[in-house]
Amino acid sequence: MKPPVPPFDEESARIKVQAAEDAWNTRDPRKVALAYTEDSVWRNRSEFVTGREEIVGFLTRKWSGELDYALRKELWAFTGDRIAVRFQYECRDAAGQWWRSYGNELWEFDAEGLMRRREASINDLPIGEEERRIFGPRPAEEHGRPFPLA
């Protein structure tokens, strides 16, 4: 099956968002990087990354420190070749502190449906283990469901 390509409608945008969530939850940097153009440009917080190899390096570093990482993404808006999402993820650091990270991403795609630009703004909140609510990849029956903000 051919992945969704621009121009996006609501259904194809939702499919694209769920595919991104599923890929990131594998925590496989090489697999995730294949969704981006060879020269993709990212802003992730205050870090700037260009190209697939830098994406692989970035994600390798990220997931070596963000243990038990689990992510949820939700479609926020779409038009033409762009999609906006909000997301939350939870992880713990090596010391055992759990974190919930909230953010927004702006995505731009090429004609083949590869992401050529990603801009992510993210805020982190320390949480107790008992406050966790994201446990691994989203079950299929929950795909497309919104998640709570707080």
Side-chain angles (χ1 to χ4, degrees):
M1 179 172 137
K2 184 178 178 184
V5 298
F8 297 110
D9 59 19
E10 184 172 355
E11 179 183 1
S12 62
R14 287 188 188 286
I15 290 169
K16 199 68 149 175
V17 171
Q18 188 61 55
E21 177 184 308
D22 293 345
W24 279 63
N25 275 324
T26 69
R27 292 178 258 156
D28 180 339
R30 293 230 172 258
K31 179 178 181 173
V32 172
L34 293 175
Y36 301 89
T37 62
E38 290 284 344
D39 60 350
S40 186
V41 176
W42 284 21
R43 180 189 55 78
N44 194 87
R45 302 177 193 256
S46 61
E47 189 169 349
F48 293 83
V49 178
T50 302
R52 278 192 189 152
E53 284 310 305
E54 285 188 22
I55 290 169
V56 169
F58 171 86
L59 293 173
T60 300
R61 287 189 314 277
K62 172 184 178 63
W63 290 322
S64 70
E66 293 181 350
L67 308 174
D68 298 318
Y69 174 96
L71 168 73
R72 299 291 185 268
K73 290 183 182 282
E74 183 179 337
L75 177 65
W76 192 257
F78 65 92
T79 182
D81 63 353
R82 295 180 177 167
I83 296 175
V85 301
R86 74 178 184 120
F87 64 88
Q88 292 179 30
Y89 67 85
E90 292 177 354
C91 63
R92 65 176 174 83
D93 60 28
Q97 173 63 58
W98 282 94
W99 297 88
R100 183 174 303 125
S101 299
Y102 298 91
N104 300 296
E105 292 176 307
L106 304 175
W107 300 343
E108 183 178 73
F109 295 87
D110 71 6
E112 286 76 44
L114 296 175
M115 195 181 304
R116 64 177 163 219
R117 184 170 192 84
R118 173 183 174 266
E119 297 190 23
S121 298
I122 307 168
N123 298 298
D124 304 309
L125 176 69
I127 60 171
E129 187 170 4
E130 70 283 356
E131 296 175 272
R132 292 183 60 210
R133 60 178 179 231
I134 304 174
F135 300 92
R138 186 189 309 238
E141 64 272 11
E142 293 180 13
H143 285 189
R145 286 191 191 162
F147 51 84
L149 181 59

